[in-house]
């Protein structure tokens, strides 16, 4: 019975001059279609999010890219959208603002915000040793109010992490539960420079019950690909790539019974 949600922004087609004239803002939009393909709901970030909220990732605000409408700055950089399992809302993650937003489908208004520049809708983050996320790729909101996010940490040059918060809208808080970083080699040293964050991409999701699957995104010259953790932080499975070429956006977990082993072997010709 689920409808389809599609996220998007204006297409980029080239580079801009070093000093662009009147750069335009590229915002993010969401479209929801029913099974017949009819548009039943849409939302535009530029109508609800102030441009100065992009200060968390200022390098994306530089008007270095060109859209069909001229030189443009990516003020949102949407990378995740999901219907809430709890109420009639939609969750989105915007990399440039470093925040997750809960949107009321009925009105289009923002219900709450986690991370980024503080606004009247911001939740108070409680107990996070890193203070707050820095550059996000969304993950999953569970039925119990736990919000799983991938925190790139690009601006701080710290290891990208999966992180879980408990959302309490009644009290306006997001309480830190646990974070996950690569179990080995979270940073890379190249030519005397140490690189720790996930520069781009990355994701987190619930695997089997009580498990967390984190994909590490684009870690510069690093072998980490993805890790499955127990919810207590212990490692179950660690996937690495010795060629250092893997760039994983987001992996999803499926129970073993969902796969037909014989069919897979046939497809793999083994």
């Amino acid at each position: 019975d689920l409808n389809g949600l599609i996220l998007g922004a204006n297409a980029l087609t080239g580079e801009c001059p070093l000093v662009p004239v009147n750069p335009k803002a590229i915002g993010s939009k969401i479209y929801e279609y029913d099974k017949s393909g009819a548009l039943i709901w849409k939302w535009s970030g530029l109508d609800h999010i102030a441009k100065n909220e992009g200060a968390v990732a200022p390098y994306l605000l530089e008007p270095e890219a060109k859209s069909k409408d001229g030189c443009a700055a990516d003020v949102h950089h949407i990378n995740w959208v999901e219907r809430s399992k709890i109420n009639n809302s939609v969750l989105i993650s915007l990399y440039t603002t470093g925040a997750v937003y809960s949107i009321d489908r009925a009105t289009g208004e923002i219900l709450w915000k986690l991370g980024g520049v503080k606004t009247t809708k911001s939740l108070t983050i409680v107990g996070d040793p890193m203070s707050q996320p820095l550059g996000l790729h969304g993950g999953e909101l569970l039925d119990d109010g736990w919000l799983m996010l991938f925190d790139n940490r690009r601006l701080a040059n710290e290891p990208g992490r999966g992180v879980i918060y408990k959302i309490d809208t009644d009290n306006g808080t997001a309480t830190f539960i646990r974070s996950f970083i690569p179990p080995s080699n979270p940073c890379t040293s190249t030519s005397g420079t140490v690189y720790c964050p996930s520069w781009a991409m990355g994701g987190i999701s619930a695997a089997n019950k009580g498990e967390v699957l984190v994909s590490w995104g684009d870690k510069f010259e690093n072998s980490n690909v993805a890790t499955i953790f127990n919810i207590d932080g212990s490692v179950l499975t660690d996937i690495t790539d010795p060629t250092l070429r893997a760039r994983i956006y987001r992996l999803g977990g499926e129970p073993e019974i969902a796969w037909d082993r014989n069919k897979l072997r046939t497809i793999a010709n083994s």
Side-chain angles (χ1 to χ4, degrees):
D1 296 328
L2 293 178
N3 299 315
L5 285 167
I6 298 177
L7 52 84
N10 294 338
L12 304 181
T13 59
E15 296 182 352
C16 281
L18 291 178
V19 185
V21 178
N22 298 322
K24 299 179 182 298
I26 290 181
S28 295
K29 297 181 179 180
I30 308 170
Y31 302 89
E32 183 175 7
Y33 297 86
D34 65 17
K35 288 185 176 181
S36 71
L39 178 66
I40 59 174
W41 183 75
K42 62 181 180 179
W43 184 86
S44 173
L46 290 177
D47 293 337
H48 299 277
I49 298 173
K51 292 180 182 179
N52 66 356
E53 290 188 39
V56 171
Y59 53 87
L60 285 177
L61 288 177
E62 297 172 3
E64 295 176 346
K66 185 181 294 183
S67 74
K68 66 179 181 180
D69 298 319
C71 292
D74 187 355
V75 297
H76 292 160
H77 198 89
I78 191 170
N79 54 46
W80 172 61
V81 59
E82 179 178 304
R83 283 287 297 270
S84 172
K85 300 178 179 68
I86 299 173
N87 54 30
N88 186 33
S89 64
V90 171
L91 296 166
I92 64 169
S93 171
L94 303 185
Y95 188 72
T96 315
T97 69
V100 167
Y101 300 80
S102 175
I103 302 165
D104 187 336
R105 287 183 72 256
T107 65
E109 297 302 313
I110 293 170
L111 298 173
W112 54 260
K113 174 186 178 182
L114 189 154
V117 175
K118 286 184 172 54
T119 71
T120 58
K121 301 294 185 178
S122 292
L123 300 176
T124 299
I125 298 176
V126 179
D128 188 345
M130 297 295 186
S131 180
Q132 70 174 30
L134 288 175
L136 284 172
H137 284 78
E140 191 170 349
L141 180 65
L142 305 182
D143 293 338
D144 56 7
W146 282 22
L147 178 63
M148 310 172 75
L149 300 173
F150 187 76
D151 179 10
N152 292 80
R153 308 302 299 173
R154 176 170 172 174
L155 291 178
N157 195 23
E158 297 166 345
R161 61 176 182 159
V163 60
I164 301 176
Y165 298 98
K166 172 69 173 179
I167 304 300
D168 182 348
T169 55
D170 290 337
N171 292 303
T173 59
T175 301
F176 174 83
I177 301 296
R178 185 176 302 280
S179 62
F180 308 86
I181 65 170
S184 61
N185 303 319
C187 300
T188 303
S189 180
T190 302
S191 301
T193 301
V194 177
Y195 299 93
C196 294
S198 295
W199 290 95
M201 303 182 287
I204 182 173
S205 62
N208 295 316
K209 185 175 181 180
E211 299 174 3
V212 177
L213 171 59
V214 184
S215 46
W216 300 115
D218 184 359
K219 289 186 68 67
F220 182 76
E221 296 294 320
N222 192 283
S223 62
N224 286 287
V225 176
T227 307
I228 300 176
F229 297 90
N230 272 315
I231 195 65
D232 64 6
S234 58
V235 175
L236 291 173
T237 303
D238 193 32
I239 304 171
T240 59
D241 174 21
T243 70
L244 312 181
R245 296 175 180 174
R247 302 291 185 269
I248 302 299
Y249 202 119
R250 174 179 169 133
L251 296 176
E254 293 287 345
E256 186 176 346
I257 60 173
W259 300 95
D260 184 329
R261 294 185 183 183
N262 292 329
K263 185 176 182 179
L264 288 173
R265 287 175 179 144
T266 299
I267 294 172
N269 194 26
S270 62

